[in-house]
């Protein structure tokens, strides 16, 4: 990714991150085949957050091949459930097969289709949200998420610093201008809105954690 952290810092942190051995093959497949899965340090952050928060229900946007969903499922309390949204049929097929093969079918449900449409209809209580797909739409999703996020719930949003472009106009490439504009608006919104307490963390491609103060 680059532009968020000095590589020696990133390399050092990654050296300390423990491998989730039950998911090594999925991670390696993703890396070899250019499937964008969470960075190791973000994986570690998610695992810590899930174990602190102990969510019964997690909503994820962006399943890809199921890696992050299975990381979270692996540290959720018994009876926990993840609903994860994906629109790409090839990803859906691979995620289904991975989730079944790794024994997470009881915990992880894939909702197939456009996140915008699925979230507009979404009506289930959730304790934690992981936004990792449709980068330009996080702000639009917020309204739907807030209808369903329990008091004291958290929203974790990945890629919020988007290769450094969000913080510096000098790094913005022309075809990403809209995403940059929308992501800045998302970060301003969740930072200013009294209903949230937000922390933006420069690891991976940038992660924002927002706590629902209601
Ligand atoms: C970064 S990948 C997700 C990686 C996954 N969370 C992981 O770390 O293992 C983003 C995924 O979001 C999906 N996606 C992007 N926009 C979407 C949308 N509007 N609705 C549903 N899925 C979307 C893409 O097809 C892609 O598979």
């Amino acid at each position: 990714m680059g532009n968020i952290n000095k590589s020696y810092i990133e390399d050092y942190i990654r050296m300390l991150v423990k491998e989730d051995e039950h998911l090594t093959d999925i991670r390696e497949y993703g890396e070899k085949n250019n499937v964008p899965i969470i960075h190791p340090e973000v994986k570690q952050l998610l695992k810590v957050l899930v174990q602190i928060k102990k969510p019964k229900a997690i909503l994820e946007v962006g399943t890809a091949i199921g890696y992050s969903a299975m990381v979270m499922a692996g540290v959720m309390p018994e009876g926990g459930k993840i609903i994860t949204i994906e629109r790409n049929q090839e990803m859906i097929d691979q995620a289904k097969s991975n989730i079944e093969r790794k024994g997470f079918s009881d915990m992880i449900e894939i909702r197939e289709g456009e996140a915008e449409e699925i979230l507009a209809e979404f009506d289930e209580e959730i304790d934690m949200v992981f936004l990792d797909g449709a980068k330009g739409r996080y702000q639009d999703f917020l309204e739907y998420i807030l209808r369903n996020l329990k008091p004291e719930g958290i929203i974790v949003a990945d890629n919020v610093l988007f290769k450094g472009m969000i913080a510096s106009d000098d790094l913005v490439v022309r075809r990403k201008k809209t995403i940059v504009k929308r992501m800045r608006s998302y970060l301003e919104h969740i930072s200013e809105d009294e209903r949230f307490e937000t922390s933006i963390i420069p690891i991976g491609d940038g992660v924002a954690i927002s706590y629902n103060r209601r």
Side-chain angles (χ1 to χ4, degrees):
M1 276 297 155
N3 288 337
I4 306 295
N5 253 314
K6 303 256 187 232
S7 58
Y8 75 94
I9 301 275
E10 201 169 79
D11 292 346
Y12 178 72
I13 295 173
R14 285 186 187 177
M15 184 192 76
L16 293 172
V17 170
K18 272 192 241 117
E19 174 78 353
D20 288 50
E21 280 162 18
H22 63 302
L23 299 175
T24 300
D25 57 330
I26 315 267
R27 180 185 59 72
E28 286 178 349
Y29 176 90
E31 286 168 2
K32 270 189 208 127
N33 294 280
N34 292 323
V35 178
I37 59 169
I38 41 170
H39 295 92
E41 58 275 26
V42 176
K43 174 209 74 159
Q44 208 49 38
L45 176 66
L46 277 182
K47 286 179 71 180
V48 170
L49 288 173
V50 169
Q51 285 171 94
I52 293 171
K53 178 71 190 144
K54 300 180 178 52
K56 291 194 184 96
I58 296 177
L59 171 67
E60 176 183 68
V61 175
T63 316
I65 53 175
Y67 181 73
S68 54
M70 291 192 281
V71 163
M72 294 189 283
V75 289
M76 272 179 98
E78 225 183 289
K81 180 147 177 123
I82 299 180
I83 294 167
T84 177
I85 301 172
E86 178 57 59
R87 68 174 175 191
N88 178 308
Q89 194 57 51
E90 200 186 324
M91 292 291 150
I92 292 168
D93 294 341
Q94 289 189 51
K96 277 186 180 163
S97 135
N98 289 336
I99 288 165
E100 198 180 324
R101 189 162 56 84
K102 298 290 180 184
F104 286 109
S105 300
D106 290 347
M107 292 182 78
I108 303 174
E109 180 195 334
I110 303 176
R111 299 263 167 101
E112 302 177 22
E114 293 293 330
E116 293 79 344
E117 288 164 26
I118 293 170
L119 289 176
E121 304 283 308
F122 196 82
D123 188 21
E124 285 151 75
E125 283 203 318
I126 36 176
D127 305 287
M128 177 170 167
V129 179
F130 180 46
L131 294 177
D132 193 23
K135 281 191 268 293
R137 307 304 302 272
Y138 289 2
Q139 165 110 36
D140 302 334
F141 296 161
L142 212 49
E143 170 203 338
Y144 304 130
I145 288 168
L146 270 176
R147 280 198 319 233
N148 299 286
L149 186 67
K150 283 198 216 155
E152 303 185 0
I154 56 173
I155 305 171
V156 182
D158 201 6
N159 307 107
V160 295
L161 296 175
F162 198 32
K163 303 177 186 187
M165 289 187 233
I166 307 305
S168 169
D169 282 340
D170 295 344
L171 297 171
V172 177
V173 293
R174 193 207 279 247
R175 63 178 201 288
K176 301 291 182 191
K177 269 189 167 168
T178 305
I179 290 184
V180 169
K181 200 168 145 220
R182 290 179 176 178
M183 192 62 92
R184 284 178 181 165
S185 159
Y186 174 75
L187 291 178
E188 281 157 24
H189 186 119
I190 51 163
S191 298
E192 281 163 15
D193 192 321
E194 293 289 327
R195 293 170 295 181
F196 298 111
E197 197 74 71
T198 291
S199 173
I200 300 166
I201 306 172
I203 60 167
D205 197 24
V207 180
I209 305 174
S210 305
Y211 171 70
N212 183 8
R213 300 171 71 202
R214 279 185 304 160

